[in-house]
Amino acid sequence: MGLFKRRPPTPVKRLMAAAGLPTAGGEIPVGDVVMEVVRRSSGRVAATLAVVEDLLVEEGNVSRGALEFLEDLQNAASHGTEGFLTTGELLPLRGPRTVDGWESVDLFWAAVVAWCDESGVELDSSASLRAVEHPGLRSVLWPSCRSLADGRRVGLSDVLLYEKATGATMANFGHHPTV
């Protein structure tokens, strides 16, 4: 009768399972999954990126969630802190769809930085982000900010200013609803 059909796992649960996290207790924030995966000792980034590759072909919120995961992963890796994977270490592990999603996210954040520079928006130093040692604070702060090569950081507040001023959002999703 199909009364006891098992529902397929949600995208977040698929990411959690690939990251080696327990799923029986329900979903956790994507940033927490990212922070587990980006730890150098986790050894789970390739498996998790393979799930992202699969999610990117699905419609709607599923592919959006995969892009959000990639964004958080890029941001967390950008801080270049000991014990965590760097962007350079992640690049070879991407599949073809993940490369496209990665580049979309990267181009968007580059546009935000360029707009901030052109508009005179002062970007703070990224040193304070790297100094955060508490895992709970890291899982909130690191995925939401990106450290730049010149020692500055750009964060969600800068993204919101950019989106409001330009009307541009990242392909397939933005950080605030468009009206």
Side-chain angles (χ1 to χ4, degrees), residues 78-175:
S78 76
H79 305 306
T81 303
E82 187 176 326
F84 293 87
L85 295 169
T86 64
T87 301
E89 291 170 307
L90 296 172
L91 294 177
L93 303 174
R94 302 167 304 161
R97 288 181 292 271
T98 307
V99 168
D100 290 342
W102 186 282
E103 289 173 356
S104 175
V105 169
D106 210 29
L107 287 170
F108 177 79
W109 280 81
V112 172
V113 171
W115 177 84
C116 287
D117 290 344
E118 292 165 5
S119 301
V121 174
E122 291 285 327
L123 298 178
D124 293 328
S125 168
S126 62
S128 61
L129 286 175
R130 287 188 295 282
V132 174
E133 293 183 15
H134 188 278
L137 289 175
R138 278 183 175 170
S139 71
V140 171
L141 294 173
W142 283 17
S144 66
C145 296
R146 183 172 291 220
S147 289
L148 306 175
D150 63 7
R152 300 178 301 158
R153 75 168 182 233
V154 61
L156 289 182
S157 60
D158 304 306
V159 168
L160 290 172
L161 288 172
Y162 167 78
E163 288 183 344
K164 186 174 179 180
T166 66
T169 61
M170 189 181 309
N172 298 321
F173 72 102
H175 290 88

Side-chain angles (χ1 to χ4, degrees), residues 1 4 9 35 38 40 42 44 46 88 94 97 102 144 166 174:
M1 293 205 116
F4 296 105
M35 292 308 295
V38 80
R40 182 166 274 117
S42 82
R44 305 298 300 194
R94 302 167 304 161
R97 288 181 292 271
W102 186 282
S144 66
T166 66

